[in-house]
Amino acid sequence: MTDTRLGTYGCVVLVLYICTKLGLQTVLGVSSYIWMDCTGAGPAMIVTHTMARWVAAIMVRTRNYVEEAGPKQPFYRFMIHAKHLVSWARVGFGLCTCFIVATICYGPAVAIALLTVVVGMGYLAGAYGAYVLGGVMGDFLGASICITEIVLYASILSKDSASKCLRSWLFKDTWIQWNASFCWKDVSAFSFCITDTGLNFLEDDRAFALVRFTTVIFLTILWSKSVGCPNVVLNDTLNSLNAEDVVAATSDLVQSHSAVEELPGDSDREPNSGKSKQHNTDSVKNGSWMAGQGILTNPEVGFSTRYKKAREYVDSLAKPMGSLGTLEDWAARIAALQRTLVPSVANVTCLIFAADHGMAADAEQGGEGCSSYPQTVTRSILDGLKRGVAGASVLARANKVHLKVIDLGVLDAKPLPENNHSIDGVAVSKYKLPNGTRNACQCAAMTLEETNGCMQEGKDAVRSCHFQGCQLLVFGEVGIGNTTTSSLLLAAIMGGSCSAASVCDGGATLGRAVDEAAVQKKIDIVEKALSFHRETLRTADVMSILTLVGGAEIAALVGAMQEASRLDVPFLVDGFIVTVAALVAVCLDPQCCRGMLFASRSPERGQGIALQKIREIAVEGNLPVPAEPALSMGLRMGEGSAALLAVPIVQSATAMLREMATIQDILGGGDSR
């Protein structure tokens, strides 16, 4: 947008835009204001100006806002952070306003048709902006509004002509009255036939205006293709270039910028003045940034290549290489997922899945009593989360994170709205297991249908959050006995390479010190379950193991991670239990490890085993290996607490990538790549 050569295209298109708009308004004729049957240019101006601006709200809500260097940079940076202000509720309010205005002028049928046109324009323009720019910005939004206005004028203009043609076709005795003596050389007969159907464009001013409109568009596209586009946005040529070619092209562009700065007209400035130096380094930085951004926005480039390019840009920042550790991996990983070097994670949602486990029940109730706490504690924690006084509620508020809790199998649950995926609430899943999972030491914890239902709940919850603009997910769990279930699940997946004793630890205990007797009891329960399912486990796949062992909240976490990976949404993995769920997700689909940000090193020994297995799967799939957990604070509360504490670290990582200077900016010149 800052290249002066674009002014030529801007002037030509602006003149065509004004002429086309005035031409369409003229053909629309004298204004007539009749309830739901208006005609003329006046009502068309009201409707098009109202509806065309709604396209900007759609694009801002559904696309990334791109930061651009220059005089408007502070405003662009504000828009990046304030994108969440354009909520779906406000977009919906704009929709209602547009519909009411269009209905008053033209009736509901035409209003719906025009809204369909606007939605289509918003999608097409947004997709094109994402491809060329990596998102949208102010100038692009303005241009999209102008083009949408023209399309709406043409749509309103075509309304009467289309109705006329349709009536002509439907209500005449015959569609075309062919003359018996007609032949291809009989021009008069052919002219009669066309006129008889009401399709004589040369005699219909409105229809002929549409022909002129279509011709202008065609000639503009043809002219642009023949003249060619300035090599400012590199994305147009990325499909035919590799990374080295893009970097080379960018270097040439940077050199040309430097040459421009050395023109005689600038000789009156001091060669080494701070202003001149800053201008030079901005040009160099922009060249390096453009090369990386070009790779990230190329739809043909895979995640690993995007991650590598983002990591190269991170290495060029003003710091010793690798000095920010996990922060650098997280920044590059999020940039590769969001396909931009100005990523944002301002909108964060924490999803907590809750369920009870059959092994945690007392022996009198058919369980194993695997936990130091009774099963009723799960219900109490859920009530605390609902009232906003539990640990996760407090940490979520402190870090400005939306909190969503979903009950998948908590005993004695009070009636709550089913499938309520609104932010900041507690909901009961329609896939809920009323009595929790069964005792895995005596039978399969769940049926395959129940497992699939829990996984689907996780996917639905993530999809709902993504629809509401979520940029970072935090995953947590609640369920008495789920540490034992996770240990059993991990041991079953690892097979003979991992014993029950190597994966079991203290879990949630009543005191500060680890109760060795409780740990031994947990080991005995895990061994009992492994022995009971030994024959089945020999040939069972990971999905079957999850069904045999449980639990419901772990299955939901697996489904949530799969959907987050599909939608390219990064997510924070809490402690041991969520890490085991992450292992299951990666075993089912190795691509899931792309967005994993491990928040905390758990005191549970089994987490290290699960992390190592995830790294091995990432290496086998030629994917970037997830970094070490960010926190080591002895956290073991669950509820996503450790991941919530790591949210500011993730936000710091993206801020580093957006705002930190390159080493060449500090040194004052050279290639910042």
Side-chain angles (χ1 to χ4, degrees):
M1 291 295 181
T2 57
D3 193 288
T4 54
R5 290 172 291 179
L6 291 176
T8 303
Y9 290 85
C11 288
V12 171
V13 174
L14 188 59
V15 170
L16 289 174
Y17 161 72
I18 294 174
C19 293
T20 305
K21 184 175 177 179
L22 290 175
L24 293 173
Q25 289 175 346
T26 302
V27 175
L28 281 168
V30 180
S31 303
S32 172
Y33 296 92
I34 302 173
W35 181 261
M36 292 196 297
D37 192 23
C38 296
T39 58
M45 291 177 64
I46 295 172
V47 172
T48 55
H49 281 251
T50 302
M51 301 188 77
R53 277 145 186 81
W54 185 52
V55 78
I58 298 174
M59 294 166 66
V60 171
R61 177 66 269 177
T62 58
R63 304 291 176 179
N64 292 326
Y65 206 96
V66 180
E67 183 174 11
E68 181 187 7
K72 297 182 181 179
Q73 186 178 29
F75 176 74
Y76 288 139
R77 183 164 296 169
F78 167 77
M79 286 300 298
I80 291 172
H81 294 293
K83 175 184 173 180
H84 65 280
L85 296 177
V86 186
S87 63
W88 282 113
R90 290 175 176 174
V91 174
F93 179 79
L95 167 66
C96 295
T97 303
C98 294
F99 180 76
I100 291 172
V101 171
T103 300
I104 291 174
C105 292
Y106 298 117
V110 175
I112 292 174
L114 294 177
L115 284 175
T116 303
V117 171
V118 175
V119 172
M121 290 296 298
Y123 174 78
L124 293 175
Y128 183 72
Y131 172 70
V132 176
L133 303 173
V136 297
M137 57 177 60
D139 294 333
F140 185 82
L141 291 172
S144 301
I145 291 172
C146 292
I147 295 174
T148 304
E149 276 188 15
I150 294 296
V151 174
L152 286 173
Y153 273 119
S155 301
I156 293 172
L157 189 62
S158 65
K159 173 174 66 69
D160 295 336
S161 297
S163 300
K164 180 179 178 182
C165 295
L166 186 61
R167 288 194 301 268
S168 176
W169 287 353
L170 292 180
F171 299 111
K172 282 186 176 294
D173 294 334
T174 56
W175 285 9
I176 301 177
Q177 301 293 329
W178 292 103
N179 195 316
S181 60
F182 175 81
C183 66
W184 288 109
K185 295 181 180 179
D186 192 346
V187 178
S188 61
F190 180 72
S191 176
F192 167 76
C193 298
I194 298 301
T195 305
D196 196 44
T197 60
L199 296 176
N200 191 346
F201 290 159
L202 297 177
E203 296 182 2
D204 188 336
D205 291 339
R206 296 191 173 194
F208 190 51
L210 293 177
V211 173
R212 295 198 305 269
F213 171 64
T214 306
T215 304
V216 167
I217 293 177
F218 174 76
L219 292 176
T220 303
I221 295 174
L222 187 64
W223 174 75
S224 299
K225 292 293 184 181
S226 62
V227 173
C229 300
N231 188 22
V232 178
V233 180
L234 300 177
N235 300 20
D236 294 335
T237 58
L238 280 174
N239 288 333
S240 58
L241 296 176
N242 56 29
E244 289 75 13
D245 295 330
V246 174
V247 173
T250 306
S251 299
D252 293 340
L253 178 62
V254 173
Q255 291 175 7
S256 68
H257 277 224
S258 300
V260 171
E261 290 170 359
E262 295 173 2
L263 290 175
D266 291 337
S267 60
D268 56 334
R269 294 186 300 176
E270 293 183 17
N272 297 321
S273 68
K275 183 176 180 180
S276 179
K277 277 189 175 183
Q278 182 62 41
H279 190 75
N280 269 318
T281 56
D282 282 347
S283 297
V284 174
K285 180 180 178 181
N286 287 342
S288 175
W289 185 91
M290 286 169 62
Q293 183 70 8
I295 295 296
L296 264 63
T297 54
N298 184 3
E300 302 298 324
V301 174
F303 175 82
S304 296
T305 303
R306 300 198 305 270
Y307 174 87
K308 180 181 178 182
K309 179 55 63 176
R311 197 63 191 258
E312 288 177 3
Y313 184 75
V314 170
D315 291 341
S316 74
L317 298 179
K319 59 176 180 55
M321 190 176 297
S323 59
L324 290 179
T326 297
L327 209 66
E328 299 185 11
D329 172 79
W330 286 8
R333 199 170 290 272
I334 296 172
L337 288 171
Q338 295 187 359
R339 295 176 178 268
T340 177
L341 288 176
V342 286
S344 174
V345 288
N347 192 336
V348 187
T349 300
C350 177
L351 285 174
I352 296 179
F353 300 99
D356 276 312
H357 297 253
M359 290 190 298
D362 295 334
E364 296 80 8
Q365 298 174 333
E368 305 295 329
C370 63
S371 176
S372 303
Y373 294 93
Q375 279 187 301
T376 54
V377 172
T378 307
R379 175 70 255 172
S380 300
I381 296 174
L382 202 66
D383 289 340
L385 289 168
K386 183 180 178 182
R387 291 187 289 118
V389 296
S393 303
V394 175
L395 295 176
R397 282 197 302 273
N399 291 288
K400 297 179 175 59
V401 176
H402 303 296
L403 182 63
K404 173 67 180 176
V405 185
I406 300 176
D407 175 11
L408 281 150
V410 179
L411 298 176
D412 191 30
K414 299 176 183 177
L416 291 171
E418 287 191 359
N419 241 16
N420 175 23
H421 287 146
S422 62
I423 295 297
D424 296 326
V426 179
V428 174
S429 169
K430 66 180 180 181
Y431 302 103
K432 174 183 169 67
L433 281 60
N435 299 313
T437 59
R438 290 167 282 278
N439 185 357
C441 292
Q442 300 175 3
C443 61
M446 298 185 289
T447 64
L448 183 59
E449 181 181 3
E450 290 171 339
T451 304
N452 286 326
C454 293
M455 292 177 64
Q456 187 61 47
E457 179 62 41
K459 294 178 181 179
D460 292 344
V462 168
R463 196 177 300 116
S464 175
C465 293
H466 181 260
F467 184 76
Q468 298 179 56
C470 177
Q471 298 167 309
L472 174 68
L473 285 163
V474 175
F475 289 139
E477 39 64 40
V478 172
I480 296 301
N482 56 11
T483 306
T484 303
T485 299
S486 299
S487 300
L488 173 57
L489 182 57
L490 177 59
I493 291 174
M494 298 301 295
S497 63
C498 184
S499 65
S502 64
V503 298
C504 293
D505 222 309
T509 59
L510 294 173
R512 295 180 183 273
V514 175
D515 187 344
E516 296 298 334
V519 174
Q520 186 57 50
K521 182 178 181 180
K522 185 183 297 185
I523 293 172
D524 293 340
I525 293 172
V526 171
E527 289 179 341
K528 179 180 178 181
L530 291 173
S531 177
F532 180 82
H533 296 291
R534 180 176 289 110
E535 293 301 322
T536 306
L537 290 174
R538 286 177 180 175
T539 57
D541 57 13
V542 174
M543 190 69 178
S544 299
I545 294 174
L546 179 61
T547 300
L548 290 173
V549 175
E553 81 278 31
I554 296 174
L557 285 168
V558 172
M561 292 177 188
Q562 289 179 328
E563 188 65 13
S565 176
R566 188 186 70 82
L567 297 172
D568 285 340
V569 179
F571 53 92
L572 278 163
V573 179
D574 194 44
F576 171 55
I577 297 158
V578 185
T579 301
V580 172
L583 173 59
V584 176
V586 171
C587 287
L588 293 173
D589 181 8
Q591 294 294 321
C592 289
C593 70
R594 299 179 310 150
M596 290 182 177
L597 313 175
F598 290 95
S600 173
R601 182 168 294 283
S602 171
E604 294 285 326
R605 289 173 290 184
Q607 190 198 32
I609 297 173
L611 285 172
Q612 181 58 34
K613 184 62 177 178
I614 291 172
R615 295 189 190 99
E616 292 174 0
I617 295 174
V619 171
E620 292 172 0
N622 294 319
L623 294 166
V625 177
E628 290 288 326
L631 303 175
S632 182
M633 302 167 62
L635 302 170
R636 54 188 175 90
M637 186 179 79
E639 302 178 30
S641 53
L644 286 167
L645 292 173
V647 168
I649 301 178
V650 183
Q651 294 172 335
S652 298
T654 56
M656 172 196 72
L657 198 59
R658 291 194 309 271
E659 303 173 17
M660 194 172 182
T662 66
I663 188 65
Q664 293 304 323
D665 289 334
I666 302 298
L667 297 178
D671 186 358
S672 66
R673 178 171 52 86

